[in-house]
Amino acid sequence: MSAVVASAPVSALLESLRVFPANVQATLVNARVDWRWRPAIDAWSLTEVVCHLRDVEVEVHQPRFRAVLAREHAFISGVDADEWARPRDYQAQDGPAALARFLQARADTVDLLQGLPSASWERQGRHAFFGPTTLQELLAIVVRHDAAHWDQLYELVVLNPSDPSV
């Protein structure tokens, strides 16, 4: 994990958590693009990226935060969510609907975390890959995940041919 992100103050991490979905929404809500276009055969489309963000938020990030808040030293399993795209057929899903669900899920995550007492951020879970991991470190992992997918989304919008049906 990037030492800069991991050592960022909770307030800055929470701000990043709030800002990311707003940036995604602003970029995609009126984008005249083909949501299913892939820049390469093995690359993801906008629809696939947004479905991934939605599912990771609901099935990975939120359960991890809830587990650590509920029980000190809770086990946090490792997940390879990149493998979900094919079996879940992300490409055939409705990209704008997945975006709406991601935005709601992220708002729920922010609601869960904002206003926690400072001691809560030092609570630890036992991450399958990283070992002892604080709630603050879990938040930094989410922010880093967002940053990686922001670059991917932005590139897809910039490179994407206009959708003639829009």
Side-chain angles (χ1 to χ4, degrees):
M1 177 184 322
S2 164
V4 173
V5 172
S7 65
V10 169
S11 60
L13 293 169
L14 285 171
E15 181 62 18
S16 293
L17 195 71
R18 282 188 284 271
V19 168
F20 177 72
N23 288 340
V24 171
Q25 183 177 30
T27 301
L28 296 181
V29 76
N30 292 318
R32 296 179 50 99
V33 295
D34 178 352
W35 281 70
R36 289 191 170 86
W37 175 78
R38 291 175 172 154
I41 205 154
D42 60 341
W44 282 359
S45 67
L46 285 172
T47 293
E48 290 168 308
V49 174
V50 173
C51 286
H52 169 79
L53 290 171
R54 173 202 62 204
D55 288 356
V56 169
E57 192 70 21
V58 172
E59 298 177 46
V60 178
H61 300 327
Q62 290 177 353
R64 286 177 175 176
F65 290 135
R66 285 189 181 104
V68 172
L69 287 169
R71 189 168 71 85
E72 185 84 24
H73 304 294
F75 179 73
I76 303 164
S77 63
V79 176
D80 186 358
D82 290 353
E83 298 299 318
W84 295 348
R86 264 197 200 162
R88 295 182 181 197
D89 200 10
Y90 285 167
Q91 183 69 348
Q93 294 186 30
D94 181 335
L99 173 61
R101 179 63 185 110
F102 165 69
L103 295 173
Q104 180 56 59
R106 177 53 64 89
D108 295 343
T109 304
V110 170
D111 287 346
L112 174 69
L113 298 176
Q114 67 185 5
L116 288 175
S118 56
S120 295
W121 295 103
E122 294 307 313
R123 288 183 65 94
Q124 287 192 354
R126 292 177 300 112
H127 195 286
F129 299 145
F130 308 125
T133 305
T134 66
L135 192 64
Q136 182 174 355
E137 289 168 336
L138 288 174
L139 180 56
I141 290 168
V142 175
V143 168
R144 195 168 129 212
H145 181 258
D146 285 353
H149 288 296
W150 171 253
D151 291 344
Q152 185 181 26
L153 285 166
Y154 187 79
E155 183 176 284
L156 282 165
V157 170
V158 169
L159 296 177
N160 200 310
S162 293
D163 183 352
S165 66
V166 178

